[in-house]
Amino acid sequence: MTAPASLLYDKTALAEAQGWIAANVDGAVAELGRMIAVDTSFPPGQGYDEFAGLMEDLVVPLGFATERVTVPETLWQVPNGPAVGPRTNLIASRPGDRPVCGLYFHVDTVPAAAGWATDPLRMQCDGDRLIGLGAADMKGSIAAILLALRAARACGVALAYDPMLLFCTDEEGGLHPGIRYLAEQDRLSGHVLNFNGSAEARIWAGCFGLFNLLVRIHGQAVHAGEGNRKGSGLNAIESALPLLNALMALKAQVATRISALPPPPGKPPLAAQLNLAAIAGGTAGGQVPALLELTINRRYAPEERFEKALAEIEAVIRRSVATVPGLTVETALVGHLMPTADPAGPHWPRWQAAMGEGFGYAPEDFRRWGAASCSDFGWVQRATGQQEVLLGGLGRPDRNIHSPGEYTTVPDIVSLAQAVLSYLAADFRPDLNPDTPPSQS
């Protein structure tokens, strides 16, 4: 009887490299601290150039050639919008004759919310916990994948794929995310591993889309002592109350729209969402405020149409403004991520096996689910026509992602590095590699 193809390979180097990862994780932890110290929060996204420089310092010694690709301002610049500074993306690749596997990371984080007990830009170690802004979403994944590539180099692991590292901008609700621009410019090769996901035993089923609408409500500033006189001034904040109430009524309607996407295990069905995400107005107690700015975040299910969801909100705005004489309102779309359709494809069985190898999951542990959280890969699907997107990462329900105290753990960094090394290694499950010629499998 002929032995299975997966048993015909010498796995000594791969096994050695997996041990090397565990023994050398302290270096990855230190690099994660350097990454967190670079403020790449979006909005506004002013730290992208600096972060690209740090990545160049880390990947060039691994034999990668790098190229900075900047998204043109005409694609993302909105008057009075939240984005500021060059949208610098970095592509790192190594010459070779193997199939390419893209390894995608978004380099932006959300801004640090109120409530952090520590400096969010200075990583804190609490036992195995690594606490800092972007530790789990998703700078920790960058540290893990660089650790995997160093292990392959140190132990002489033959790779099945030539990795292409994609460090991209504006995933956190940007108008023209970096990966969208790279896809539209035909700069992507092969299939892609997206690390904006979970460390759980998950098979990705796709996700919602989102858009952010900036609403600017204009009143008229006067001395606060004159504000109660008829015909004197127009309080932008008070005049916005009918609109805010109408949006809250719409929020309840939107929440009744249930998606067919399978929810996470044990969770309720996934529903559309409308949130009042940010609000600012006024200057001082002695002045009637002349401007209120409101950001509306709408998460729409794959079954909904973006154009209809946007028009619904704009209709509510028009009706509400009409009730306040003299009030003027302007709106601007400042962020948009399309829904990601079912990303299944031929590489998923191999990635599932690699996740099991790294994290210790059995095949029967895996479940398929979608999410109301969003991804910039809907744009990639539309631009390239390629539906398959592999998803992994360091996300877990208790990791405070987008919240004070965000963290990942040292064991998860080790496990993700081991999973990625397995996936890239020629000696790992060649029987599950759809890119291996039949004669080699």
Side-chain angles (χ1 to χ4, degrees):
M1 178 181 292
T2 303
S6 59
L7 300 180
L8 296 177
Y9 285 75
D10 177 7
K11 298 184 178 180
T12 304
L14 178 56
E16 180 184 348
Q18 301 289 27
W20 192 96
I21 286 173
N24 290 273
V25 68
D26 286 351
V29 170
E31 289 178 355
L32 175 57
R34 294 175 65 189
M35 295 180 210
I36 288 173
V38 181
D39 185 358
T40 54
S41 56
F42 173 75
Q46 290 184 294
Y48 296 149
D49 260 343
E50 183 180 354
F51 196 82
L54 173 58
M55 292 301 98
E56 288 169 333
D57 289 344
L58 296 179
V59 304
V60 168
L62 289 170
F64 286 89
T66 62
E67 178 185 3
R68 297 190 182 198
V69 180
T70 303
V71 182
E73 284 192 18
T74 54
L75 298 178
W76 57 266
Q77 187 65 264
V78 176
N80 302 304
V84 177
R87 318 329 266 174
T88 305
N89 299 265
L90 187 72
I91 300 174
S93 56
R94 294 194 300 213
D97 55 4
R98 294 165 293 199
V100 171
C101 177
L103 304 175
Y104 160 86
F105 318 92
H106 71 77
V107 304
D108 53 324
T109 71
V110 295
W116 277 81
T118 61
D119 182 346
L121 297 179
R122 184 174 181 178
M123 190 178 74
Q124 302 292 315
C125 299
D126 181 9
D128 279 337
R129 290 190 177 196
L130 307 172
I131 305 165
L133 184 62
D137 183 25
M138 59 179 295
K139 293 177 178 178
S141 292
I142 300 175
I145 276 58
L146 296 183
L147 178 61
L149 295 173
R150 286 196 183 89
R153 190 179 183 93
C155 300
V157 175
L159 300 184
Y161 295 101
D162 288 321
M164 174 186 283
L165 309 181
L166 306 164
F167 302 98
C168 296
T169 58
D170 288 1
E171 186 274 342
E172 298 290 0
L175 186 60
H176 208 101
I179 192 68
R180 173 185 179 182
Y181 183 68
L182 296 181
E184 291 170 346
Q185 298 300 307
D186 197 26
R187 299 302 305 273
L188 306 182
S189 299
H191 66 292
V192 179
L193 250 171
N194 177 347
F195 294 101
N196 192 28
S198 176
E200 299 174 283
R202 178 188 184 187
I203 301 172
W204 196 29
C207 64
F208 281 32
L210 73 75
F211 61 88
N212 292 319
L213 186 67
L214 175 64
V215 183
R216 306 184 83 234
I217 301 169
H218 296 272
Q220 181 182 355
V222 295
H223 190 289
E226 303 294 321
N228 290 328
R229 293 187 182 183
K230 186 176 181 180
S232 178
L234 182 60
N235 190 310
I237 295 176
E238 294 175 0
S239 298
L241 290 175
L243 171 58
L244 297 177
N245 289 330
L247 288 170
M248 291 304 293
L250 178 59
K251 175 185 177 78
Q253 296 176 28
V254 167
T256 65
R257 300 167 190 169
I258 305 300
S259 175
L261 270 181
K267 300 295 183 180
L270 298 172
Q273 300 176 25
L274 185 153
N275 294 299
L276 307 184
I279 191 166
T283 55
Q287 184 182 63
V288 169
L291 175 67
L292 182 140
E293 292 185 323
L294 170 67
T295 300
I296 301 169
N297 175 261
R298 175 70 157 88
R299 294 176 182 268
Y300 65 102
E303 296 88 347
E304 298 183 275
R305 289 181 58 246
F306 159 70
E307 294 82 5
K308 184 176 180 179
L310 177 60
E312 181 179 51
I313 295 174
E314 290 181 330
V316 167
I317 294 172
R318 286 194 302 271
R319 289 196 299 268
S320 300
V321 170
T323 67
V324 184
L327 196 68
T328 61
V329 176
E330 56 183 314
T331 63
L333 187 69
V334 294
H336 185 200
L337 303 178
M338 288 184 64
T340 301
D342 186 353
H347 298 87
W348 264 99
R350 179 179 170 88
W351 175 235
Q352 184 177 333
M355 281 287 288
E357 185 79 8
F359 287 89
Y361 296 128
E364 60 269 19
D365 293 333
F366 284 84
R367 299 290 184 271
R368 181 178 179 272
W369 74 82
S373 59
C374 305
S375 169
D376 41 12
F377 269 73
W379 293 118
V380 176
Q381 289 179 328
R382 189 175 84 163
T384 66
Q386 178 176 309
Q387 290 297 113
E388 184 184 41
V389 184
L390 307 182
L391 188 71
L394 293 173
R396 293 188 187 271
D398 66 343
R399 297 301 153 90
N400 300 328
I401 291 174
H402 289 197
S403 303
E406 178 182 352
Y407 75 96
T408 189
T409 67
V410 173
D412 271 1
I413 286 180
V414 170
S415 294
L416 182 59
Q418 291 174 337
V420 172
L421 178 61
S422 294
Y423 185 80
L424 295 176
D427 292 347
F428 178 76
R429 296 300 302 271
D431 56 312
L432 294 181
N433 187 343
D435 300 310
T436 299
S439 61
Q440 298 180 25
S441 62

